[in-house]
Amino acid sequence: MTDDIRVETHESWRKIVLNRPEKLNAVNAPMLTRLLAALDVAEADPSCRALLLTGEGRGFCAGQELGPDVTPGPNGPPDLEHLATTYHHEVVRRIRASRLPVVCAVNGVAAGAGASFALACDIVLAATTARFVQAFVKIGLVPDSGASFFLTRTVGDARARALAMLGDAIDGTTAAAWGMIWKAVEPAGLMAEAEALTAQLASGPSAALAAMKQMFAAAPSNDLHTQLDLEARLQGIAGRAPAFAEGVRAFQEKRPPVFPS
Ligand code: LHQ
């Protein structure tokens, strides 16, 4: 049994580790099938309230493995549309559709779909020394797994185009300065900070955090009035949930809130 996807289960959160360090955690179809399964299991576990995604070794994820999945066979070139739709894009969809806040700790190079997986997460921390590379152009491909969606929204059209068309690497510090990610952290402190953040989210108001994911997913394509309606509806739901009652009580009693799971 291969352990190219390693899951560490903590009391209220899980860490999913891409674990193929000798290939900088490049992914292939079987590995992505196991990653999708790990995401589904976490989603279905009521005790799990947050996720942390990271990579083993000196890389985060070097994107699609340039191996058998993408090598031309007797029937001609590989069907990359099918490969992307079935595997890579499902990872992105599940992270974005998840009820769980997902933290990503980019410990090293994040290339191609690997960078996209990181950008699909809710809060991205990267080592200052990590590298984000839109590697697609170097092998004659186009951005996928949401790269063109995420980059245009985070760094803007001008930087997105240049990153995609040139394939230049940017480091974690630059990614943070450009607004691509939340924060760059000294490598030695990355995992401790990412774990603390994930634990903090796991002890947060889970339903409200899930509603925030819904809200931020809708925001870019909504007009102000539609977004105000959505915020009001989700606030109505939050106001009827036990977390709000506990939050207000804790404030009045001058103690930290203990949000129910
Ligand atoms: C790898 C890989 C790799 C295999 C490093 N595969 N071995 C595509 C198609 C279909 C559907 C959906 O989506 C996609 C999306 C994509 O992801 S396309 C982009 C695919 N990825 C790449 O093109 C990245 C290729 N890798 C690189 O450019 C470099 O390795 C990076 C910039 C990631 C890191 O460079 P270095 O730090 O200099 O490391 P390295 O190149 O020496 O790599 C270390 C080892 O990892 C090496 O193996 P070796 O046996 O020589 O030590 C590499 O061959 C292996 N490796 N990426 N994607």
Side-chain angles (χ1 to χ4, degrees):
M1 176 68 186
T2 171
D3 67 346
D4 53 16
I5 298 296
R6 201 178 69 237
V7 179
E8 294 174 16
T9 306
H10 297 258
E11 197 183 325
S12 57
W13 56 277
R14 284 171 187 231
K15 179 167 158 183
I16 299 180
V17 184
L18 307 173
N19 183 33
R20 225 179 152 213
E22 70 285 359
K23 300 245 183 226
L24 302 177
N25 306 315
V27 291
N28 53 32
M31 184 173 170
L32 289 168
T33 302
R34 284 184 280 274
L35 175 57
L36 289 167
L39 291 169
D40 286 348
V41 170
E43 190 72 23
D45 174 3
S47 73
C48 183
R49 297 172 66 182
L51 283 180
L52 171 58
L53 179 66
T54 193
E56 185 65 48
R58 77 172 178 89
F60 168 69
C61 175
Q64 168 64 39
E65 177 188 11
L66 301 178
D69 287 347
V70 295
T71 305
N75 301 323
D79 184 347
L80 299 192
E81 181 176 355
H82 174 75
L83 193 60
T85 305
T86 311
Y87 300 102
H88 310 68
H89 290 191
E90 267 308 306
V91 171
V92 171
R93 287 185 209 278
R94 279 185 220 189
I95 291 172
R96 284 277 156 151
S98 173
R99 68 181 171 87
L100 301 167
V102 186
V103 174
C104 186
V106 183
N107 50 301
V109 68
S116 302
F117 293 162
L119 298 181
C121 297
D122 295 297
I123 301 182
V124 187
L125 297 179
T128 50
T129 51
R131 285 174 292 157
F132 292 84
V133 195
Q134 295 300 309
F136 310 95
V137 68
K138 307 268 187 192
I139 52 170
L141 294 184
V142 299
D144 72 9
S145 309
S148 59
F149 180 96
F150 299 128
L151 288 175
T152 48
R153 283 163 174 76
T154 54
V155 302
D157 189 75
R159 282 171 167 160
R161 284 175 194 247
L163 287 172
M165 291 183 172
L166 302 175
D168 287 356
I170 60 166
D171 64 19
T173 306
T174 307
W178 285 10
M180 189 193 286
I181 62 167
W182 166 237
K183 204 172 175 185
V185 176
E186 285 306 317
L190 174 71
M191 204 46 63
E193 187 159 340
E195 290 186 356
L197 204 65
T198 311
Q200 180 186 333
L201 291 165
S203 66
S206 299
L209 291 166
M212 285 184 212
K213 291 190 65 150
Q214 224 182 305
M215 185 182 277
F216 284 109
S221 55
N222 273 347
D223 62 28
L224 175 63
H225 301 290
T226 310
Q227 191 68 8
L228 286 171
D229 288 347
L230 177 64
E231 288 181 359
R233 189 167 65 75
L234 294 174
Q235 198 68 294
I237 295 169
R240 292 189 287 278
F244 176 55
E246 164 59 8
V248 173
R249 211 168 32 240
F251 174 79
Q252 290 165 346
E253 294 169 4
K254 299 190 187 303
R255 61 169 175 81
V258 181
F259 291 117
S261 54

